[in-house]
Amino acid sequence: MKSMLIDRLVKIIGPEGVLHTPEDLAVYSYDGTFVESCPDVVVLPMSTDQVSQVVKLAAETRSPLVARGMGSGLAAGSVPLPGGGIVICLTRMNHILEIDTINAAVRVEAGVITADLQAEVEKQGLFYPPDPSSIRHSTIGGNIACNAGGPRCLKYGVTGDYVLGLKVLLADGRILQTGGKPIKDVTGYDLTALFTGSEGTLCLITEALLRLVARPKYARTGLAEFIFLADASRTVNAILSAGIVPATLELMDQTAIVCIEEAMHLGLPTDVEASLLIETDGSDEQTVIREIEGAAKICLENGARSMKMASNEAERSRLWKARRSISPALARKAPNKLGEDITVPRSAIPDVVQRLREISKEYGLPIVIFGHAGDGNLHPNILFDKRQPEQWVKVEQMVGEIFAASLAVGGTLSGEHGVGVLKRAYLENALGPLSIEVHRKIKQALDPLNILNPGKIFLS
Amino acid sequence: MKSMLIDRLVKIIGPEGVLHTPEDLAVYSYDGTFVESCPDVVVLPMSTDQVSQVVKLAAETRSPLVARGMGSGLAAGSVPLPGGGIVICLTRMNHILEIDTINAAVRVEAGVITADLQAEVEKQGLFYPPDPSSIRHSTIGGNIACNAGGPRCLKYGVTGDYVLGLKVLLADGRILQTGGKPIKDVTGYDLTALFTGSEGTLCLITEALLRLVARPKYARTGLAEFIFLADASRTVNAILSAGIVPATLELMDQTAIVCIEEAMHLGLPTDVEASLLIETDGSDEQTVIREIEGAAKICLENGARSMKMASNEAERSRLWKARRSISPALARKAPNKLGEDITVPRSAIPDVVQRLREISKEYGLPIVIFGHAGDGNLHPNILFDKRQPEQWVKVEQMVGEIFAASLAVGGTLSGEHGVGVLKRAYLENALGPLSIEVHRKIKQALDPLNILNPGKIFLS
């Protein structure tokens, strides 16, 4: 059966695009999480038409199909479930097909690395804002499948806010084009929005048409230090209430600052409960300056000990280096980390942070907290050693408590990573059984054979 | 059968909330279009629970259910189809349930008039941006069901961009809550986005949780006059490319300007092919001024004969009065008008306007053109006399030609009005048969008895 499948896939894609040795399969058995499971076969198609033929074959043979980009996901959405199936890796479909400067749109294949896409459109004076931390290695297809976020999403919105249209494969292999270049469109259901964030369970994305904006010409960056975290949280609301919308409003709590400083020696203040990294940007330098100055004033009025402004690009880089160093810095503190991405109403941030500290204390494992405070999107990272089985047991319990803390204040399980496998067991708590029933009905309607990334998000 | 239905509805809602005399039914037989058809009965529920019971009764008796707000729709989406059914009018559910100033969110019942909602949140320094022209009489529920737009949507986005969550009745009468206060949420499918703009065919909306922003404190407004329409169109792209995003970028063509001037005597220039009404707004006065000055400079560089700035609130009102007078002014020119709302890639505006002029000439009926040029959303209005049957025949043919002109350049049928009944016949041309099949599968999955606004958007 498996060798028949491989033979037929080779006929569709050619031998160089079909991988099936144990060593090759192992490479496609994991993502950015701890979940691992080998597929039966990996295909690397070059065109939507090839993907269509693979989907048709999968439908005929009832083979599970898992689409995958660079495997940087943080919810195991692109890891095949035990039992295998076909992994469709879209990284060879990495062409930018069209940059339309007049209508500010770009058409790309799903396998384009998001940073490459950004660099290309910036050459034309345009700007693709969403900036997940994985931007240098994750693909736009994966970003869309998970509706990825990032530090810049406070001002600019998430990936889904930029998806004008998609070329997708339905579960029977037929090709559907949704949306188009018009910015506004209420002609029928918003299938583009339904498919965005559906993690490969409703269709398989091979192309996207993305909205762009004018490239901001100026940016100003500062770091505000808060003795009390509650003041930092209050400041976030005060800045937004004043009508200032920074591109970035990033919170780092003391545990995060200490971690970075120990690893990087950047001169960060380790004696404060929190810091806020604030960046304003835009096409008018005076406006950008007025906004960062307005934000600084509000920080100082709301209890900031100081607001350090980057006075040149080198200082700005240093501040961003601090923010971007969190993950590597955590790796020095403990052999393993598990990062969640709960999103809560902004007003609940202080209570949730307090609760996270309690959970950490209760289980005796550190939780480092940072995230996109303007969005209420927090990344609590549990530090541990997976080689200690009792720590892993604790981590699993702590994750449950973190989700409970978020749901208790009207928060969600995930702001940008998706549900995948890891959050599946918590979905009913978050959405309720009726919502899951509606999810299942939509899944059943569009994928009656349950071959598209089966078992992800919810058990179908 | 009908009297049994009425008796049971009276038991649910009380006699004052159930209308069934011919005179009462006639009042609920039409919207903002020419389509008319009487329901069997109209109910005016006071709570989601009452609506739930009505939906359960409708499911039991297989009665079509049409939700309705103030009936200002422009696609006949809230007009029952011949054969009747139950109209659920939600205008008594008009309470603002919560204004959360810290998280910048408001929870409302579906029957709240959108302008009332705006006024209430503005008292708290907050702002609900979407501003359909019907804002003073349309309800937020209707706005969401159609994903309404408006002049301010260029900068701020459409209704759907502000919907954080919905309370809806599924087709079996069960109550589902989607979304919540967190701004970012990728926990499961985006049901909120799927339901927004679904025109009452997938569920019935009774409550909405809406995102707000800080109220802009300053605005500047100007009117640029263009001898050539192509220059006005080019200017729109130049302004946006420069990174200036005005709140409003409204195009009026010569036919629209002449109509307004004849009716209102506002001193508008009737010798130019087009004018652009431009407004910038924000929380920082200097920035708002710099932006309108930047836009004015670009207008003059791109062929504007002049850019008249409003120097005070009275002059600003006069400019807006001109824009808002278009519809009443058209009513003076001809007994009837039919307004479409095609949306095209911005670059295609000059060609589409040219084609609309040709269609007008070909059929001998005026087409007045205005719209949200920044969004590519044009409102071609055909002026005619419905009492002349041969004119009505022409109008129907002209509508087909207008849609064909939009689709030919990659445009859509509707940017903000929805499909309803009027654009249904054109949907397959716009989206293709496969998309319609997907629409039908979703509809069938969520409304297997086909009782929720049956026959709207597409024939189900």
Side-chain angles (χ1 to χ4, degrees):
Chain A
M1 175 68 185
K2 190 174 150 183
S3 72
M4 179 281 285
L5 191 64
I6 291 169
D7 288 347
R8 291 186 62 186
L9 289 169
V10 167
K11 280 203 188 92
I12 295 169
I13 308 212
E16 82 296 346
V18 181
L19 308 177
H20 52 82
T21 66
E23 310 82 65
D24 279 337
L25 296 180
V27 175
Y28 294 89
S29 68
Y30 61 92
D31 67 351
T33 68
F34 303 103
V35 180
E36 280 184 47
S37 174
C38 275
D40 291 328
V41 56
V42 175
V43 294
L44 296 132
M46 297 288 278
S47 69
T48 298
D49 185 57
Q50 286 185 349
V51 179
S52 169
Q53 292 179 61
V54 173
V55 178
K56 284 175 181 165
L57 176 60
E60 181 194 322
T61 57
R62 306 292 192 266
S63 307
L65 267 180
V66 184
R68 177 194 166 98
M70 290 294 279
S72 59
L74 292 170
S78 67
V79 179
L81 289 191
I86 304 170
V87 160
I88 302 191
C89 180
L90 293 158
T91 48
R92 292 205 299 179
M93 290 181 63
N94 62 350
H95 299 92
I96 295 176
L97 303 172
E98 179 197 1
I99 299 179
D100 179 342
T101 54
I102 299 180
N103 294 300
V106 60
R107 191 184 298 275
V108 294
E109 289 184 322
V112 172
I113 303 288
T114 306
D116 293 345
L117 153 66
Q118 285 190 336
E120 283 306 308
V121 302
E122 286 183 22
K123 287 180 192 164
Q124 312 282 330
L126 293 164
F127 188 55
Y128 174 73
D131 59 343
S133 296
S134 59
I135 193 164
R136 284 185 185 73
H137 50 281
S138 65
T139 62
I140 190 70
N143 290 182
I144 295 168
C146 296
N147 198 4
R152 213 146 52 192
C153 293
L154 172 61
K155 174 172 177 177
Y156 289 101
V158 295
T159 301
D161 294 315
Y162 292 85
V163 183
L164 288 170
L166 295 171
K167 185 180 276 187
V168 305
L169 283 304
L170 298 178
D172 59 7
R174 285 185 293 172
I175 300 165
L176 176 67
Q177 178 77 55
T178 72
K181 283 186 184 171
I183 298 169
K184 291 162 72 177
D185 185 6
V186 293
T187 314
Y189 300 155
D190 193 347
L191 299 181
T192 307
L194 176 65
F195 293 158
T196 300
S198 67
E199 302 187 34
T201 65
L202 297 180
C203 63
L204 223 148
I205 300 164
T206 59
E207 271 183 41
L209 181 68
L210 303 166
R211 187 169 70 86
L212 303 171
V213 296
R215 184 182 178 183
K217 295 188 188 75
Y218 305 95
R220 285 293 185 281
T221 312
L223 186 76
E225 302 175 3
F226 291 87
I227 295 177
F228 302 109
L229 186 132
D231 289 340
S233 182
R234 197 156 43 87
T235 300
V236 169
N237 297 320
I239 291 171
L240 296 171
S241 297
I244 299 171
V245 185
T248 294
L249 239 176
E250 292 284 304
L251 175 81
M252 290 178 277
D253 88 336
Q254 193 162 18
T255 60
I257 299 169
V258 169
C259 264
I260 298 165
E261 191 52 26
E262 282 178 6
M264 310 290 298
H265 311 292
L266 293 164
L268 298 176
T270 55
D271 60 335
V272 294
E273 278 193 4
S275 70
L276 286 178
L277 177 68
I278 306 175
E279 181 162 291
T280 60
D281 73 357
S283 58
D284 178 285
E285 189 169 23
Q286 291 311 309
T287 302
V288 173
I289 292 171
R290 292 173 72 89
E291 284 184 346
I292 195 79
E293 286 174 350
K297 186 162 170 280
I298 293 168
C299 286
L300 297 172
E301 284 167 2
N302 283 275
R305 181 174 75 177
S306 67
M307 168 84 172
K308 289 181 180 145
M309 296 284 202
S311 59
N312 53 46
E313 192 53 36
E315 286 183 31
R316 182 181 169 225
S317 288
R318 198 181 58 85
L319 291 178
W320 272 106
K321 193 173 179 189
R323 169 63 183 87
R324 294 207 177 102
S325 302
I326 296 180
S327 283
L330 297 183
R332 291 171 59 117
K333 289 282 280 191
N336 300 99
K337 65 181 169 72
L338 193 145
E340 288 303 340
D341 79 312
I342 55 171
T343 306
V344 300
R346 283 195 302 267
S347 61
I349 290 179
D351 287 350
V352 170
V353 169
Q354 179 55 35
R355 179 71 195 116
L356 293 172
R357 287 174 177 166
E358 287 164 17
I359 296 168
S360 169
K361 205 169 165 188
E362 210 171 304
Y363 288 89
L365 289 176
I367 299 181
V368 175
I369 304 167
F370 59 95
H372 320 306
D375 297 321
N377 188 195
L378 297 176
H379 292 302
N381 272 251
I382 308 170
L383 303 187
F384 67 105
D385 184 345
K386 201 167 187 287
R387 293 164 302 187
Q388 313 286 333
E390 77 285 0
Q391 287 202 9
W392 182 242
V393 171
K394 282 186 185 178
V395 168
E396 291 193 314
Q397 292 169 336
M398 290 171 81
V399 166
E401 303 248 22
I402 290 170
F403 289 148
S406 177
L407 297 178
V409 297
T412 74
L413 303 183
S414 177
E416 47 190 33
H417 296 170
V419 176
V421 174
L422 292 186
K423 305 188 184 87
R424 202 176 55 184
Y426 306 94
L427 197 72
E428 188 164 319
N429 273 349
L431 301 182
L434 183 54
S435 179
I436 308 292
E437 192 183 315
V438 171
H439 277 69
R440 285 212 177 93
K441 282 182 180 168
I442 293 170
K443 168 73 170 170
Q444 170 69 24
L446 297 187
D447 180 21
L449 301 175
N450 193 25
I451 58 166
L452 296 178
N453 215 4
K456 304 300 169 64
I457 305 183
F458 51 91
L459 285 171
S460 41
Chain B
M1 176 65 186
K2 189 173 152 182
S3 72
M4 179 281 285
L5 191 66
I6 291 169
D7 288 348
R8 292 185 62 185
L9 288 168
V10 167
K11 282 204 186 90
I12 295 169
I13 307 209
E16 82 295 346
V18 180
L19 308 176
H20 51 81
T21 65
E23 309 82 63
D24 279 337
L25 296 181
V27 175
Y28 294 88
S29 67
Y30 61 93
D31 67 350
T33 66
F34 302 104
V35 180
E36 281 184 47
S37 174
C38 275
D40 291 327
V41 54
V42 176
V43 294
L44 295 131
M46 297 287 278
S47 69
T48 297
D49 185 56
Q50 286 185 350
V51 179
S52 169
Q53 292 180 61
V54 173
V55 178
K56 283 174 182 166
L57 177 59
E60 182 194 322
T61 57
R62 307 290 193 268
S63 306
L65 267 179
V66 184
R68 176 192 167 100
M70 291 294 278
S72 59
L74 292 171
S78 68
V79 178
L81 289 191
I86 304 170
V87 160
I88 302 191
C89 180
L90 292 159
T91 49
R92 293 205 300 178
M93 291 183 64
N94 61 350
H95 299 92
I96 295 176
L97 303 171
E98 179 198 1
I99 299 179
D100 179 342
T101 53
I102 299 180
N103 294 301
V106 60
R107 192 183 298 276
V108 295
E109 290 184 322
V112 172
I113 302 288
T114 305
D116 293 346
L117 154 66
Q118 285 190 337
E120 284 305 309
V121 303
E122 286 183 21
K123 287 179 192 165
Q124 312 281 332
L126 292 165
F127 188 55
Y128 174 73
D131 60 342
S133 295
S134 59
I135 193 164
R136 285 185 182 74
H137 51 282
S138 65
T139 63
I140 189 70
N143 290 181
I144 296 168
C146 296
N147 199 4
R152 213 146 52 193
C153 293
L154 171 61
K155 175 173 177 177
Y156 288 102
V158 295
T159 301
D161 294 315
Y162 291 85
V163 183
L164 288 170
L166 295 172
K167 186 180 276 187
V168 305
L169 284 305
L170 298 179
D172 59 8
R174 286 185 294 173
I175 299 166
L176 176 67
Q177 178 77 57
T178 72
K181 283 186 184 171
I183 298 169
K184 289 162 72 175
D185 185 5
V186 294
T187 313
Y189 300 154
D190 193 347
L191 299 181
T192 306
L194 177 64
F195 294 158
T196 299
S198 67
E199 303 187 32
T201 63
L202 296 181
C203 64
L204 221 147
I205 300 164
T206 60
E207 271 183 40
L209 181 68
L210 303 167
R211 187 169 70 88
L212 303 171
V213 295
R215 184 183 177 185
K217 295 188 188 75
Y218 304 95
R220 286 292 185 282
T221 313
L223 187 76
E225 301 174 4
F226 290 87
I227 295 177
F228 301 110
L229 186 132
D231 289 341
S233 181
R234 195 157 45 88
T235 300
V236 168
N237 296 321
I239 291 171
L240 296 170
S241 296
I244 299 171
V245 184
T248 294
L249 239 176
E250 293 284 304
L251 175 80
M252 292 179 276
D253 86 336
Q254 193 162 17
T255 59
I257 299 169
V258 169
C259 264
I260 298 165
E261 191 52 27
E262 281 178 6
M264 310 290 297
H265 310 294
L266 292 165
L268 297 177
T270 54
D271 60 335
V272 293
E273 279 193 0
S275 71
L276 287 178
L277 177 69
I278 307 175
E279 182 162 290
T280 61
D281 72 358
S283 59
D284 179 284
E285 190 170 21
Q286 291 311 310
T287 302
V288 173
I289 292 171
R290 291 174 71 87
E291 284 184 345
I292 195 80
E293 285 174 350
K297 186 163 169 279
I298 292 168
C299 286
L300 296 172
E301 285 167 1
N302 283 275
R305 180 173 76 175
S306 67
M307 167 85 172
K308 289 180 182 149
M309 296 286 201
S311 59
N312 54 43
E313 193 54 35
E315 286 183 30
R316 182 181 169 224
S317 290
R318 197 180 59 83
L319 291 178
W320 272 106
K321 192 173 178 188
R323 170 63 183 85
R324 294 207 175 104
S325 301
I326 296 179
S327 283
L330 297 183
R332 292 171 58 116
K333 290 281 280 190
N336 300 99
K337 66 181 169 69
L338 193 145
E340 289 304 339
D341 78 313
I342 54 171
T343 306
V344 300
R346 282 195 303 268
S347 62
I349 290 179
D351 286 349
V352 170
V353 168
Q354 179 56 34
R355 178 72 194 117
L356 293 172
R357 286 175 177 166
E358 286 165 15
I359 295 168
S360 169
K361 205 168 166 187
E362 208 172 306
Y363 287 89
L365 290 175
I367 299 180
V368 175
I369 304 167
F370 58 97
H372 319 308
D375 297 321
N377 187 196
L378 297 176
H379 292 302
N381 272 251
I382 308 170
L383 303 187
F384 66 105
D385 185 345
K386 200 167 188 292
R387 294 164 300 187
Q388 314 286 332
E390 78 285 1
Q391 288 201 7
W392 182 241
V393 170
K394 281 185 185 177
V395 167
E396 292 192 312
Q397 292 170 335
M398 289 170 82
V399 165
E401 303 246 23
I402 290 171
F403 288 149
S406 178
L407 297 179
V409 296
T412 75
L413 303 182
S414 177
E416 48 190 32
H417 297 171
V419 176
V421 173
L422 291 187
K423 304 188 185 85
R424 201 175 54 185
Y426 306 95
L427 196 72
E428 189 165 321
N429 272 350
L431 302 182
L434 182 55
S435 180
I436 307 292
E437 192 183 315
V438 171
H439 277 70
R440 285 211 176 94
K441 282 182 180 167
I442 293 171
K443 168 74 170 171
Q444 169 70 22
L446 298 186
D447 179 21
L449 301 176
N450 193 25
I451 59 167
L452 297 178
N453 214 4
K456 304 301 168 65
I457 304 182
F458 51 90
L459 285 170
S460 41

